[in-house]
Amino acid sequence: MACPVNNTVELNPTLLPLEWLLGTWECDEPGEGSFPTIKPFRYTETLHFSHVGQPVINFMFNAFHAESKKPLHRECGFVRMQPGTNRVAFIIAQNSGLVEIEEGELTGQQLSLQSLQLARTSFAKEPYVKQICRVFQLRSDGKLEQTVSMATDNQPLMQHLRITYRRSS
């Protein structure tokens, strides 16, 4: 289900520095995922960033296995920006039972975030995720690149995902 951009309501002025994120983004080529405790994989993903005029951006990310098309991962939540600063927060719920608060800074059209708080269901799969760092970069060719690094109970922080998207709406 898409989260369409609301063209009838003005974007809250607090969010103007993040306007470049709005819309639907689809990967051109499959992204690559790896981590020492899993088999490397390729995936496709669609991102939806929308708003309803409040000082918050709504988002939904849907990832699928590149070959089998099997659903892999979903994330949804909100993006907030501290008024008058370049400080940004992502509030994220994942279908794996993990909930995150990531905060960071916007520099031009690059958003660098790191987890401040992680919570999980009592029956979450081990090893537990202990840290997440995420970078969104709007490249000069108009494509959006995302990298995600992760640390768990038994692995240090390292790159887990890398993917590039093109705007589809």
Side-chain angles (χ1 to χ4, degrees), residues 100-161:
E100 316 169 46
I101 296 176
E102 295 178 9
E103 289 189 15
E105 294 186 352
L106 176 65
T107 305
Q109 293 180 319
Q110 179 173 308
L111 184 54
S112 301
L113 304 155
Q114 62 182 348
S115 56
L116 290 184
Q117 297 288 323
L118 297 171
R120 64 188 52 81
T121 58
S122 62
F123 48 89
K125 184 178 160 186
E126 292 184 35
Y128 295 140
V129 174
K130 291 293 188 184
Q131 182 181 9
I132 296 175
C133 294
R134 185 182 312 253
V135 176
F136 289 96
Q137 170 74 49
L138 184 62
R139 301 183 336 191
S140 60
D141 63 3
K143 293 187 178 184
L144 181 66
E145 183 175 73
Q146 180 182 198
T147 56
V148 178
S149 298
M150 178 173 75
T152 64
D153 288 335
N154 57 14
Q155 297 295 325
L157 185 67
M158 65 186 72
Q159 186 173 302
H160 172 46
L161 304 170

Side-chain angles (χ1 to χ4, degrees), residues 18-29 31 43 45-49 59-61 90 106 108-111 134-147 162-168:
L18 293 171
E19 187 173 22
W20 55 272
L21 269 179
L22 292 173
T24 299
W25 299 85
E26 295 181 18
C27 62
D28 273 339
E29 299 290 326
Y43 68 104
E45 188 169 42
T46 302
L47 312 180
H48 302 284
F49 291 97
F59 71 83
M60 182 175 292
F61 303 166
F90 269 52
L106 176 65
Q109 293 180 319
Q110 179 173 308
L111 184 54
R134 185 182 312 253
V135 176
F136 289 96
Q137 170 74 49
L138 184 62
R139 301 183 336 191
S140 60
D141 63 3
K143 293 187 178 184
L144 181 66
E145 183 175 73
Q146 180 182 198
T147 56
R162 178 180 215 95
I163 192 166
T164 302
Y165 314 89
R166 62 174 167 70
R167 190 184 306 270
S168 63

Side-chain angles (χ1 to χ4, degrees), residues 64-77:
F64 300 87
H65 190 275
E67 286 77 34
S68 71
K69 309 301 184 214
K70 176 183 172 185
L72 291 177
H73 189 78
R74 289 186 84 161
E75 296 181 7
C76 61

Side-chain angles (χ1 to χ4, degrees), residues 31-52:
E32 296 182 358
S34 62
F35 207 69
T37 56
I38 61 173
K39 182 179 163 189
F41 63 96
R42 293 172 7 108
Y43 68 104
T44 62
E45 188 169 42
T46 302
L47 312 180
H48 302 284
F49 291 97
S50 64
H51 75 94
V52 293

Side-chain angles (χ1 to χ4, degrees), residues 70-104:
K70 176 183 172 185
L72 291 177
H73 189 78
R74 289 186 84 161
E75 296 181 7
C76 61
F78 307 95
V79 183
R80 299 186 62 88
M81 190 154 191
Q82 184 178 14
T85 74
N86 66 340
R87 301 285 303 155
V88 179
F90 269 52
I91 302 104
I92 304 169
Q94 298 186 20
N95 65 338
S96 62
L98 184 66
V99 178
E100 316 169 46
I101 296 176
E102 295 178 9
E103 289 189 15

